[in-house]
């Protein structure tokens, strides 16, 4: 059991308790003074922003980070997910100021900031002894909330650049003005630097254990790494020296003992609170918070009727919202553009064990990271069957292509006209349920497995620190140093003696290879858009997306309703004000 899970349970109990006594007096307003009566109340007030943060990540944040980048897609699957072509616009960076995703990303993150501001204000007024707590405990919780608030602001700075910064609750100004990206950056940096020494170090070796879900010193330091690594992109200043310093401190154990796991799937597995690689994870548990398995993330990352393949029967059908972009055209040729085509990038190293087809092996274990080809299962009568399309008209055969394949022979590269499929088009508007491999990074275990839907969301892994340091070493011309860092992580993917590891001198590592390697390691982890922007290729070309005329889409627009609600806000460059 996870400590934060108990927090969520306690919060839920508090929310529901008002319905159990019909004789109680109902009040219009519950003030903070009347709410905080017990230590449990303190924990409830403290944890509320964390639950919102997890939900925020699983919604618009994930969609913008992945669907606007070069790995994921939400095409029109013969009527499924057409949705007014909103996903076409996200994919092609043609969003309008009326589209929902940018508006939701802005609103959800700022709502989280309001929650943290409120909780900080409440906890700052408490007398610790009244709640059987120490001043150190209270200050630690406030520092965690400030770190979480910094995470919200990092998200907003990354997506919108020109944002208001509000640090008080209730704020004096109901229509705050935007500050410059530099001013926002400085506030975030100051917040993290001040909070870090007030946070606890990780207590255990081999995993966060009961501290899973809490911000520790390493978590705050890792957010500083993100801040400094992207400083040149966000504020036009090079902060590589600061980034290197915090990377080395984390790797050297100054903020607690962490290590790269020998198993690639350990950071994503059901018991990943025991994984030494996780620096920060949002806690999940079956029956409670499990946004990583929600419809906005990986439950909608597999075909409609695919649940029997996994042996998970508790939630009904899946829904193929997120697939992987194709690497092959309809003639079976690899696309010529440099980015995108994630499966082809994995296949550059064919002995990568992540390329094994995903299978549940029983007892909450699995192999492989993708599903592709035909998907078999055993029905209740012991017969082997195969997953079909949601209309039952054809048996699925998932391909690294996009088109109308339907029941085309599995040995055929191109759609077979004799099957009744004659549209030889591969774009966002012409996909069927065979189109694209699926990423299964977090296991979907069987209904009778104890580990089903128990994986915590791995927000920050030690691998990110290694890759951040490797990127800077590469920029500085130290390819050998970059190779050593990258191979420390990559060695778990290949058999001993594999030629897939980088040479000691790092001679194979080019800028494109480094970008591809970021993609392989962190596929589906909500980092891709930022990485593409940092490498200067976000407005470039990939499948069904043309190179853009300028770079204004590297920053998202403020929606019409947000601008109307606050007249002191200015639209970002390149977008209409109304």
């Amino acid at each position: 059991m996870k400590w934060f899970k108990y927090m969520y349970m306690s919060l839920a109990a508090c929310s529901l308790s008002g319905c159990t006594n019909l004789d109680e007096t109902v009040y219009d307003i519950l003030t903070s003074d009347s709410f905080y009566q017990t230590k449990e109340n303190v924990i409830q007030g403290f944890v509320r922003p964390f639950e919102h943060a997890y939900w925020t990540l699983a919604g618009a944040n994930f969609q913008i980070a992945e669907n606007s980048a070069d790995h994921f897609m939400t095409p029109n699957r013969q009527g499924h997910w057409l949705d007014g072509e909103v996903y076409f616009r996200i994919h092609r960076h043609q969003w309008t100021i009326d589209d929902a995703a940018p508006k939701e990303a802005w609103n959800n993150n700022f709502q989280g900031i309001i929650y943290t501001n409120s909780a900080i204000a409440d906890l700052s007024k408490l007398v610790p002894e009244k709640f059987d707590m120490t001043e150190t405990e209270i200050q630690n919780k406030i520092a965690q909330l400030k770190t979480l608030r910094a995470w919200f602001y990092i998200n907003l700075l990354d997506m919108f650049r020109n944002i208001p910064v509000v640090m008080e609750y209730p704020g004096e100004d109901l229509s705050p003005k935007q500050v410059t990206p530099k001013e926002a950056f400085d506030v975030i940096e100051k917040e993290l630097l001040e909070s870090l020494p007030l946070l606890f170090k990780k207590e255990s070796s081999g995993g966060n254990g009961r501290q899973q879900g809490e911000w520790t010193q390493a978590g705050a330091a890792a957010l500083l790494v993100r801040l400094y690594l992207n400083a040149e992109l966000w504020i036009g200043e090079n902060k590589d020296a600061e980034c290197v310093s915090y990377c080395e401190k984390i790797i050297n154990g100054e903020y607690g003992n962490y290590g790269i796991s020998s198993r690639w799937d350990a950071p994503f597995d059901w018991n990943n609170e025991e994984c030494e690689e996780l620096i920060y994870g949002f806690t999940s548990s079956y029956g409670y918070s499990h946004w990583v398995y929600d419809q906005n993330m990986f439950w909608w990352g597999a075909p409609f009727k695919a649940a029997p393949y996994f042996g998970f029967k508790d939630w009904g059908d899946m829904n193929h919202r997120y697939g992987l972009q194709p690497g092959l055209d309809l003639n079976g040729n690899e696309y010529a553009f440099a980015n995108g085509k994630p499966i082809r990038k994995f296949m550059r190293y064919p002995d990568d064990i992540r390329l094994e087809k995903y299978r549940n092996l029983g007892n909450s274990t699995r192999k492989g990271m993708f599903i592709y080809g035909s998907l078999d299962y055993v029905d209740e009568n012991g017969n082997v069957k195969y997953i079909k399309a949601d209309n039952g008209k054809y048996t699925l055969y998932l391909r690294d292509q996009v088109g109308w394949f339907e029941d085309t022979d599995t040995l055929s590269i191109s759609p077979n006209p004799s099957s009744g499929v004659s549209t030889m088009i591969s774009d966002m508007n012409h996909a069927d349920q065979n189109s694209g491999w699926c990423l299964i990074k977090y296991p979907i275990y069987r209904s009778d497995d104890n580990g089903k839907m128990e994986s915590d969301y791995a927000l920050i892994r030690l691998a990110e620190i290694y890759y951040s340091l490797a990127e800077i070493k590469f920029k500085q011309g130290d390819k050998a140093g970059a190779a050593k860092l990258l191979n420390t992580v990559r060695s778990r993917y290949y058999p001993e003696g594999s030629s897939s590891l980088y040479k000691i001198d790092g001679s194979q590592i080019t800028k494109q290879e480094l970008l591809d390697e970021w993609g392989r390691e962190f596929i589906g982890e909500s980092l891709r858009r930022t990485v593409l922007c940092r490498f200067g290729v976000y407005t470039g070309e990939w499948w069904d997306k043309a190179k853009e005329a300028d770079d204004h889409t590297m920053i998202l627009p403020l929606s019409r309703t947000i601008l109307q609600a606050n007249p002191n806000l200015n639209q970002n460059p390149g977008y209409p004000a109304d």
Side-chain angles (χ1 to χ4, degrees), residues 465-493:
I465 308 305
Y466 273 80
Y467 275 55
S468 299
L469 185 55
E471 182 177 320
I472 293 176
K473 286 187 178 292
F474 174 82
K475 286 169 58 180
Q476 294 173 343
D478 183 6
K479 287 190 175 184
K484 182 178 180 180
L485 289 162
L486 295 173
N487 280 342
T488 300
V489 180
R490 297 176 78 248
S491 60
R492 62 188 174 193
Y493 304 125

Side-chain angles (χ1 to χ4, degrees), residues 217-504:
Q217 290 185 1
L223 289 183
L224 284 168
V225 168
R226 287 188 178 182
L227 193 68
Y228 293 138
L229 184 65
N230 293 291
E232 203 156 359
L233 169 68
W234 293 343
I235 62 171
E237 294 184 13
N238 186 298
K239 299 281 186 178
D240 286 355
E242 292 89 337
C243 187
V244 167
S245 175
Y246 279 95
C247 284
E248 291 178 342
K249 288 177 182 179
I250 295 169
I251 291 171
N252 293 334
E254 185 169 328
Y255 303 121
N257 295 319
Y258 300 87
I260 299 298
S261 176
S262 60
R263 279 178 42 219
W264 76 264
D265 65 322
F268 316 104
D269 209 357
W270 71 277
N271 57 349
N272 54 358
E273 72 273 12
E274 300 174 6
C275 176
E276 62 186 359
E277 189 171 326
L278 238 65
I279 292 178
Y280 186 84
F282 286 114
T283 62
S284 298
S285 192
Y286 181 82
Y288 300 99
S289 295
H290 42 59
W291 300 111
V292 66
Y293 291 114
D294 185 67
Q295 61 189 17
N296 285 321
M297 292 188 78
F298 295 118
W299 183 248
W300 280 5
F304 295 92
K305 298 292 184 179
Y309 178 76
F310 301 101
F312 185 77
K313 306 173 183 177
D314 298 30
W315 292 349
D317 290 341
M318 307 178 92
N319 201 336
H320 205 173
R321 183 178 190 175
Y322 296 109
L324 293 174
Q325 292 180 32
L328 302 177
D329 65 20
L330 291 179
N331 293 313
N333 301 311
E334 182 174 337
Y335 288 109
F337 42 76
N339 294 314
K341 51 188 182 184
I343 299 306
R344 297 298 118 183
K345 299 299 177 66
F346 272 91
M347 288 181 174
R348 300 283 191 273
Y349 303 100
D351 55 349
D352 190 330
I353 61 172
R354 293 171 294 181
L355 280 169
E356 290 185 280
K357 192 173 184 178
Y358 180 97
R359 290 279 185 183
N360 283 329
L361 303 177
N363 195 29
S364 299
T365 60
R366 53 89 76 90
K367 69 173 184 177
M369 199 170 76
F370 303 98
I371 55 173
Y372 48 85
S374 56
L375 306 177
D376 58 292
Y377 67 99
V378 178
D379 69 10
E380 61 274 10
N381 298 318
N383 300 314
V384 176
K385 293 191 174 181
Y386 293 89
I387 301 298
K388 292 181 175 289
D390 71 312
N391 58 16
K393 291 184 178 180
Y394 56 93
T395 299
L396 296 190
Y397 189 81
L398 305 183
R399 305 162 180 267
D400 188 25
Q401 297 170 282
V402 168
W404 288 356
F405 287 90
E406 296 190 356
D407 58 355
T408 297
D409 189 308
T410 58
L411 298 178
S412 174
I413 294 294
S414 302
N416 182 2
S418 66
S419 70
V421 180
S422 58
T423 303
M424 291 288 288
I425 300 174
S426 179
D427 63 17
M428 286 286 286
N429 200 36
H430 292 85
D432 69 359
Q433 293 174 45
N434 297 305
S435 297
W437 284 28
C438 299
L439 174 71
I440 313 296
K441 199 156 197 176
Y442 289 83
I444 302 175
Y445 287 133
R446 299 170 183 169
S447 290
D448 56 1
D449 276 357
N450 290 331
K452 64 180 180 181
M453 305 304 173
E454 285 286 330
S455 298
D456 300 331
Y457 184 84
L459 182 68
I460 305 174
R461 298 189 283 123
L462 184 61
E464 182 182 339
I465 308 305
Y466 273 80
Y467 275 55
S468 299
L469 185 55
E471 182 177 320
I472 293 176
K473 286 187 178 292
F474 174 82
K475 286 169 58 180
Q476 294 173 343
D478 183 6
K479 287 190 175 184
K484 182 178 180 180
L485 289 162
L486 295 173
N487 280 342
T488 300
V489 180
R490 297 176 78 248
S491 60
R492 62 188 174 193
Y493 304 125
Y494 311 110
E496 188 174 352
S498 172
S499 60
S500 294
L501 290 176
Y502 294 134
K503 295 177 182 178
I504 294 176

Side-chain angles (χ1 to χ4, degrees), residues 501-571:
L501 290 176
Y502 294 134
K503 295 177 182 178
I504 294 176
D505 63 2
S507 56
Q508 309 112 299
I509 305 177
T510 62
K511 183 178 179 181
Q512 183 64 53
E513 174 60 22
L514 183 59
L515 176 59
D516 293 346
E517 182 54 33
W518 268 103
R520 284 184 290 265
E521 180 60 34
F522 297 99
I523 187 170
E525 296 189 44
S526 297
L527 294 177
R528 189 59 177 173
R529 174 191 168 275
T530 307
V531 173
L532 292 174
C533 289
R534 191 169 67 246
F535 276 71
V537 297
Y538 181 67
T539 56
E541 177 190 16
W542 50 80
W543 175 76
D544 199 24
K545 178 189 173 297
K547 180 176 174 57
E548 299 168 54
D550 58 47
D551 289 341
H552 80 274
T553 60
M554 291 174 65
I555 306 175
L556 296 178
L558 278 65
S559 78
R560 187 188 310 273
T561 55
I562 290 168
L563 292 171
Q564 290 172 344
N566 182 353
N568 287 328
L569 297 178
N570 295 314
Q571 181 60 276

